Amino acid sequence: LIPKAKTNDTDEKIINSRLHHYFHNQVDHFQSKLKKLVKKGIFITIFGMAIMFLTATLISIINEKFLSNLLAVILEPTGWFTAWYGLDQLFYNTSDSKEILDFAKKMIAADISFDRY
């Protein structure tokens, strides 16, 4: 709402244009951020699963009881933690960016108008 005495159509067009430009930039920013988060989550998950696979392979190759137990104790939790952390990145950390991205897309489509009183 703007008082009738202070209205200026040129300024309103500039404000409208700048708001749409701002939200276009927000969409671009959060789409790239979301892409990076997804890539990071997939990479970390695959890395964790590779650690678990490597651990299982090394344990089956090594015949010495102590060394295979040591590898199991050290590497199995590492693999599990890394895999779950990667999945956490994929499913939970991306939700905030998705919400902001959805809002920015709605604002791009919004019709911004100035009412006078």
Side-chain angles (χ1 to χ4, degrees):
L1 291 174
I2 300 175
K4 284 184 185 179
K6 294 190 178 196
T7 60
N8 184 335
D9 289 337
T10 307
D11 288 346
E12 290 174 14
K13 287 178 184 176
I14 291 171
I15 292 168
N16 199 341
S17 170
R18 287 182 180 172
L19 281 171
H20 279 97
H21 180 73
Y22 170 78
F23 286 111
H24 274 288
N25 288 341
Q26 288 291 95
V27 166
D28 293 342
H29 170 73
F30 281 101
Q31 279 179 336
S32 72
K33 183 178 178 180
L34 196 58
K35 230 180 200 181
K36 287 177 187 176
L37 279 173
V38 168
K39 284 181 184 179
K40 179 182 173 184
I42 290 171
F43 175 76
I44 292 172
T45 301
I46 291 172
F47 184 69
M49 290 180 178
I51 290 173
M52 289 186 283
F53 178 77
L54 178 67
T55 303
T57 305
L58 287 174
I59 288 173
S60 67
I61 292 173
I62 297 172
N63 292 331
E64 189 177 325
K65 185 91 169 148
F66 173 75
L67 191 55
S68 64
N69 284 341
L70 181 65
L71 284 173
V73 167
I74 294 173
L75 293 178
E76 279 182 9
T78 303
W80 278 105
F81 176 78
T82 306
W84 283 110
Y85 178 72
L87 291 171
D88 182 61
Q89 292 289 312
L90 280 172
F91 293 108
Y92 296 109
N93 289 349
T94 57
S95 64
D96 293 338
S97 294
K98 284 180 184 177
E99 288 177 16
I100 295 170
L101 186 61
D102 289 342
F103 174 75
K105 285 180 179 179
K106 288 177 186 175
M107 289 304 294
I108 289 172
D111 181 32
I112 299 170
S113 63
F114 297 89
D115 291 335
R116 288 120 172 96
Y117 63 93

